[in-house]
């Protein structure tokens, strides 16, 4: 029995239930986010729709939730919002929820969800490399070993898709788009690290989410045909709504609760479940093939990212 549980017993307080356990929130956050690529693939299969239109549906539905979250967390900021802070929020929102999401949605038109998730999952290695080149941060020898393991695993995952599709160009193009998504997400992550303590973590996520929603909708209005939204079938709207609620807003809320109960470090350890769950969901729900190359790639990427986290 933990010290906390023993203390509750001594004071006559009931043990914390499963729904109040930070680990439950962390696992649910990883699981709900892992479903995002599944919903994207289901939407693409349900009706011919381009990445920008589908992303616009997702962000349009998510916008009211982000605004509600921003209002709920309005007292969290450690200091008043200044023009400089708002500029940081806009830049981070542009890099993360807008550019990263757009590149990811385009990449998913080419490659499997399993490969997409593993490419995205290597973003900590990009954070490390950007820090080393741009911020002149030293890199330990163990970290270089972890990077090598990660990219060896990524090579195995790419090999899996090449074997399954036999189309080198498609895998290369899709992989490049998702890798660009991972790069922009790494920049977003660095920006969040610099702003979170000043704006508040959940409030920052809400502000970035809301601003990026407006960016996506402006992009769609400028390049798409908003009048044709009525022609999109209900099934695609349903998948977009699932992306917006289950795989966009809900993971943010769940992760915030997990961090509040466990701390950021312990909560982050559960992120390694993400690729495992995405590949499992793609196998069960989408019927994507599952082979030994993917198992090897998954093990190496997850192991390499975990090792990298411990070596830093």
């Amino acid at each position: 029995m933990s010290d906390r549980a023993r203390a509750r017993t001594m004071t006559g307080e009931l043990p914390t239930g499963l729904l109040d356990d930070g680990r439950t929130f962390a696992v649910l956050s990883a699981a709900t986010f892992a479903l995002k690529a599944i919903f994207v693939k289901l939407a693409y299969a349900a009706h011919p729709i381009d990445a920008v239109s589908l992303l616009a549906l997702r962000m349009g539905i998510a916008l009211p939730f982000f605004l509600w979250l921003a209002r709920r967390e309005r007292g969290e900021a450690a200091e008043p919002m200044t023009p400089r802070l708002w500029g940081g929020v806009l830049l981070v929102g542009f890099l993360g929820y807008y550019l990263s999401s757009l590149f990811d949605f385009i990449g998913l038109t080419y490659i499997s969800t399993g490969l997409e998730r593993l490419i995205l999952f290597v973003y900590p290695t990009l954070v490390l490399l950007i820090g080393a080149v741009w911020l002149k941060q030293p890199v330990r020898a163990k970290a270089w070993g972890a990077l090598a393991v990660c990219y060896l695993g990524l090579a195995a995952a790419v090999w899996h898709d090449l074997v399954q599709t036999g189309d080198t160009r498609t895998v290369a193009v899709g992989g490049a788009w998702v890798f660009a998504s991972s790069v922009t997400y790494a920049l977003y992550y660095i920006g969040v690290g610099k702003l979170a303590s000043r704006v508040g973590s959940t409030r920052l996520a809400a502000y970035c989410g809301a601003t990026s929603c407006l960016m996506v909708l402006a992009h769609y209005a400028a390049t798409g045909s908003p009048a044709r939204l009525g022609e999109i079938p209900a099934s695609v709207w349903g998948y977009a709504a699932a992306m917006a609620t289950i795989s966009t807003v809900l993971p943010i809320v769940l992760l915030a609760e997990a961090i509040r109960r466990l701390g950021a470090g312990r909560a982050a350890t559960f992120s390694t479940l993400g690729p495992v769950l995405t590949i499992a969901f793609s196998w069960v729900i989408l019927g994507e093939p599952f082979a030994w190359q993917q198992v090897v790639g998954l093990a190496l990427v997850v192991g390499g990212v975990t090792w990298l986290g411990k070596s830093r």
Side-chain angles (χ1 to χ4, degrees):
M1 181 183 295
S2 66
D3 292 341
R4 183 179 178 184
R6 190 178 294 111
R8 287 176 176 271
T9 302
M10 291 174 65
T11 58
E13 187 179 352
L14 290 175
T16 304
L18 182 63
L19 293 179
D20 196 39
D21 191 329
R23 292 169 296 182
T24 301
F25 285 96
V27 170
L28 289 175
S29 176
T32 51
F33 184 74
L35 284 167
K36 182 262 301 178
I38 308 302
F39 291 134
V40 173
K41 284 289 192 179
L42 289 172
Y44 284 152
H47 180 75
I49 185 171
D50 62 278
V52 175
S53 298
L54 183 59
L55 184 58
L57 291 183
R58 174 204 186 190
M59 299 308 250
I61 296 170
L63 178 58
F65 292 93
F66 281 123
L67 294 176
W68 166 80
L69 191 61
R71 179 178 174 79
R72 193 192 76 167
E73 301 294 325
R74 62 185 180 276
E76 187 190 352
E79 58 185 81
M81 293 297 295
T82 63
R84 185 180 180 87
L85 282 179
W86 277 117
V89 167
L90 290 173
L91 178 59
V92 169
F94 174 76
L95 289 170
Y97 292 102
Y98 172 58
L99 270 190
S100 184
S101 295
L102 179 60
F103 293 161
D104 183 39
F105 273 49
I106 295 173
L108 277 168
T109 63
Y110 294 93
I111 60 176
S112 68
T113 58
L115 178 56
E116 177 258 3
R117 192 67 175 90
L118 289 178
I119 294 175
L120 288 180
F121 195 66
V122 301
Y123 81 88
T125 68
L126 299 172
V127 171
L128 180 70
L129 293 173
I130 292 170
V133 174
W134 182 26
L135 304 177
K136 308 301 181 183
Q137 295 173 344
V139 180
R140 297 180 180 179
K142 289 183 179 180
W144 289 115
L147 260 66
V149 170
C150 282
Y151 287 97
L152 184 61
L154 207 53
V158 170
W159 182 18
H160 169 267
D161 269 38
L162 288 174
V163 170
Q164 297 298 327
T165 65
D167 190 341
T168 304
R169 181 183 179 279
T170 297
V171 174
V173 171
W177 277 111
V178 178
F179 189 77
S181 174
S182 190
V183 171
T184 52
Y185 187 80
L187 293 170
Y188 161 81
Y189 187 87
I190 293 171
V192 165
K194 294 183 176 298
L195 291 173
S197 62
R198 303 177 66 186
V199 180
S201 57
T202 306
R203 193 184 195 195
L204 177 61
Y207 282 173
C208 290
T211 55
S212 64
C213 285
L214 296 175
M215 292 175 190
V216 169
L217 293 176
H219 182 165
Y220 180 70
T223 62
S225 302
R228 298 183 61 185
L229 289 176
E231 301 174 9
I232 299 174
S235 58
V236 176
W237 278 96
Y239 292 132
M243 275 182 260
T245 55
I246 298 174
S247 298
T248 304
V249 178
L250 188 57
I252 293 173
V253 176
L254 291 170
L255 183 59
E257 290 299 317
I259 291 173
R260 187 169 68 86
R261 289 166 169 79
L262 300 174
R266 286 189 64 198
T269 61
F270 289 86
S271 66
T272 55
L273 292 173
V276 179
L277 292 171
T278 297
I279 290 174
F281 290 148
S282 66
W283 180 50
V284 174
I285 299 173
L286 302 178
E288 289 187 355
F290 189 63
W292 68 267
Q293 298 100 325
Q294 198 171 43
V295 176
V296 172
L298 176 64
L300 290 174
V301 170
V302 171
V305 169
T306 303
W307 183 15
L308 179 63
K310 293 179 178 179
S311 67
R312 295 180 64 181

